[in-house]
Amino acid sequence: KQWYQRRVAITAGVTLSADLHHLSCFLPGTLALGHFYGLPKWHLDLAEEIMQSCYYLYTTQPTGLAAEFVRFRPEGVEALSSENHLRPETVESLFVLWRVTGNEKYRDMAWNIFQAFERVSRNCNGYTAVYDVRDVHTVTLDVTESFFLAETLKYLYLLFEDDVDVLSFDKWVFNTEAHPLPIFDDFQGWY
């Protein structure tokens, strides 16, 4: 199937939409973690399909960076908000999918995203959000959100760490800000 035949629909009441906000790209990681912790395989299958849609947001733009908000159409992706704020959700899901499946394609996808950050977002002071992912000569916004350092780069680092025992999912859980917290079997004496 082509990517546009696997549209991601966000529900609001009973209305379906072909719109996708980059923030929604956390979902493949959540579904993959569900499968890791014992939910049926269809969770992982769905995670992998949605991941393709999230990655497609990057590969369809001349800069190699995803727009903040898009609409899927049969002829392609339309950027409704063309900025990129260096968000972590896609690389977070790539990290989780790589850890759960061991499939190197997720590392390859992450490497391509990192190279786009290097090419488009990097300046003499670090990294910055960009105004328009549709333009290879885009203007930078001179702002770096804290989540880029705290989450995006952390997940990229962990994606390329070969030792899967570093912050392994059977001993650690990540909160929504990418802070690893230990999993305790016994809470006695912990509080």
Side-chain angles (χ1 to χ4, degrees):
K1 293 181 178 180
Q2 296 295 318
W3 70 269
Y4 55 81
Q5 292 174 314
R6 294 185 227 132
R7 293 189 182 132
V8 177
I10 307 300
T11 60
V14 294
T15 305
L16 293 179
S17 171
D19 296 349
L20 179 67
H21 195 291
H22 188 278
L23 292 169
S24 301
C25 289
F26 80 93
L27 187 56
T30 301
L31 290 166
L33 278 174
H35 174 69
F36 179 82
Y37 289 111
L39 293 177
K41 176 136 180 351
W42 68 262
H43 286 79
L44 180 59
D45 296 338
L46 182 58
E48 292 185 299
E49 287 202 20
I50 296 171
M51 187 72 256
Q52 285 300 124
S53 294
C54 289
Y55 183 62
Y56 189 78
L57 300 181
Y58 287 82
T59 62
T60 57
Q61 301 304 325
T63 57
L65 295 175
E68 284 291 300
F69 190 60
V70 301
R71 177 167 292 142
F72 287 98
R73 298 189 181 282
E75 61 274 4
V77 172
E78 174 189 2
L80 302 176
S81 174
S82 60
E83 296 176 358
N84 179 284
H85 292 280
L86 313 170
R87 293 198 185 279
E89 288 76 17
T90 297
V91 293
E92 174 185 9
S93 287
L94 289 169
F95 164 65
V96 173
L97 279 162
W98 175 70
R99 282 279 180 98
V100 169
T101 68
N103 192 329
E104 288 294 318
K105 77 177 182 180
Y106 298 116
R107 279 178 152 181
D108 294 339
M109 292 174 177
W111 181 246
N112 291 336
I113 292 169
F114 176 71
Q115 287 180 317
F117 286 145
E118 285 286 305
R119 194 172 51 253
V120 181
S121 300
R122 188 160 185 170
N123 62 29
C124 63
N125 297 313
Y127 296 85
T128 181
V130 298
Y131 179 70
D132 190 349
V133 298
R134 301 166 299 184
D135 180 3
V136 294
H137 304 292
T138 187
V139 175
T140 58
L141 297 175
D142 196 28
V143 62
T144 304
E145 300 285 352
S146 62
F147 55 71
F148 179 68
L149 298 171
E151 298 177 66
T152 307
L153 290 180
K154 184 184 298 177
Y155 286 124
L156 284 166
Y157 172 82
L158 290 170
L159 261 158
F160 297 105
E161 170 57 59
D162 289 325
D163 184 357
V164 295
D165 289 331
V166 173
L167 300 175
S168 65
F169 291 158
D170 58 340
K171 297 178 183 169
W172 298 89
V173 64
F174 289 84
N175 71 7
T176 60
E177 300 303 315
H179 301 302
L181 303 170
I183 297 172
F184 295 102
D185 291 328
D186 181 11
F187 287 100
Q188 295 294 330
W190 185 70
Y191 47 88

